[in-house]
Amino acid sequence: MDLSNKVVVITGAGRGIGRAMALAFAAKGAVIAGLDLHESDLAETCSLCKAAGARALALTVDVTSEAQVIAGFDAVVSAFGRFDVLVNNAGVTKDALLVKAKDGAIASKMSLAQWQAVVDVNLTGVFLCGREAAERMIRLGHGGLIVNISSISREGNAGQTNYSATKAGVAAMTVVWAKELARHGIRSAAIAPGFCATEILAAMKPETVAKVKSAIPLNRLGEPAEIASTAVFIAENDFVTGRVIAVDGGLRL
């Protein structure tokens, strides 16, 4: 895919990997539609894209709301007349042990609210955005691409029952969509990042970050730009579909 003037829709575009995605696609001449709940962060992302010479649209959308996703995607098509790429990047964490106990005494357990909050954004949100993107790509008749963001945690990471389950689900949906949508000229692929230098890790204690890095063969965190460049590679290589590409510095959980 030649990305020049292609419309790339990115969820969770306000900061971190989402912002890096927006800037990477903007550098390729794409038109950026950024979706996020955090208006000020999203406005800054769009300003940076415009400074790089790209057209950019900011849309405040909650990906867990079917009505908001439909309205947001309709606004993209109305503004630009195209819908070429979706990057399903929005995600949250609500970490906890399934059951925390000591000497037979139960201290805490993952709450249903913690479970549901992550499922709503990471799984239902990806489903809604993927479905609505595919519908518009089919109606417009020019094919397209859906890039989902899974995670190294899809293999199962302690303290992340909810997150791991959703990211495994995202990987599975990616393969299903590749099979179902190929007849319409739509590809579907995913990226499974390892630990990256984002706001979440920046908020951790230095000793915790050091422990994380020590387990990575490359002995460093990934950069958001490295995840973004993988998305650009997927977009530009028309033979990539139905695969989850791990970008994790060699780490195995």
Side-chain angles (χ1 to χ4, degrees):
M1 181 188 295
D2 178 359
L3 289 170
S4 179
N5 293 315
K6 296 298 192 300
V7 176
V8 179
V9 180
I10 303 167
T11 68
R15 54 186 175 178
I17 291 173
R19 176 175 290 176
M21 293 278 188
L23 292 172
F25 280 101
K28 289 289 184 174
V31 178
I32 306 301
L35 279 60
D36 208 298
L37 278 177
H38 303 284
E39 293 184 23
S40 59
D41 291 339
L42 186 56
E44 185 176 350
T45 294
C46 286
S47 293
L48 291 169
C49 290
K50 290 175 181 177
R55 288 184 289 165
L57 174 68
L59 295 166
T60 304
V61 171
D62 179 353
V63 298
T64 70
S65 166
E66 183 177 29
Q68 289 190 36
V69 170
I70 290 171
F73 284 14
D74 282 346
V76 171
V77 175
S78 177
F80 302 119
R82 298 186 64 90
F83 196 126
D84 298 285
V85 179
L86 168 67
V87 180
N88 249 328
N89 172 71
V92 298
T93 58
K94 300 283 184 182
D95 295 351
L97 294 176
L98 182 67
V99 179
K100 185 177 181 180
K102 184 176 182 180
D103 299 327
I106 306 301
S108 63
K109 57 186 178 181
M110 178 177 284
S111 69
L112 180 58
Q114 288 172 311
W115 165 267
Q116 198 63 56
V118 175
V119 169
D120 286 348
V121 176
N122 296 10
L123 199 57
T124 303
V126 169
F127 159 74
L128 287 173
C129 290
R131 186 192 69 185
E132 294 304 315
E135 178 183 336
R136 283 150 187 78
M137 291 172 185
I138 292 169
R139 289 182 183 277
L140 290 166
H142 54 63
L145 168 67
I146 298 170
V147 179
N148 294 325
I149 305 301
S150 181
S151 169
I152 188 174
S153 294
R154 76 192 188 283
E155 302 292 346
N157 192 28
Q160 291 191 316
T161 293
N162 47 9
Y163 187 77
S164 294
T166 61
K167 292 305 185 179
V170 165
M173 286 195 294
T174 299
V175 177
V176 173
W177 297 350
K179 294 175 179 178
E180 292 183 355
L181 299 174
R183 72 193 70 179
H184 303 293
I186 299 170
R187 295 183 292 123
S188 170
I191 303 170
F195 294 106
C196 294
T198 61
E199 290 83 354
I200 294 175
L201 279 183
M204 292 183 179
K205 296 179 181 179
E207 55 267 30
T208 302
V209 175
K211 184 177 181 180
V212 168
K213 289 169 61 176
S214 69
I216 301 171
L218 290 182
N219 196 36
R220 70 173 178 86
L221 301 175
E223 294 295 332
E226 292 171 319
I227 309 304
S229 67
T230 306
V232 170
F233 162 76
I234 292 170
E236 292 184 327
N237 190 324
D238 290 324
F239 203 52
V240 176
T241 194
R243 297 297 178 187
V244 180
I245 300 176
V247 186
D248 53 23
L251 178 63
R252 297 293 181 271
L253 293 178

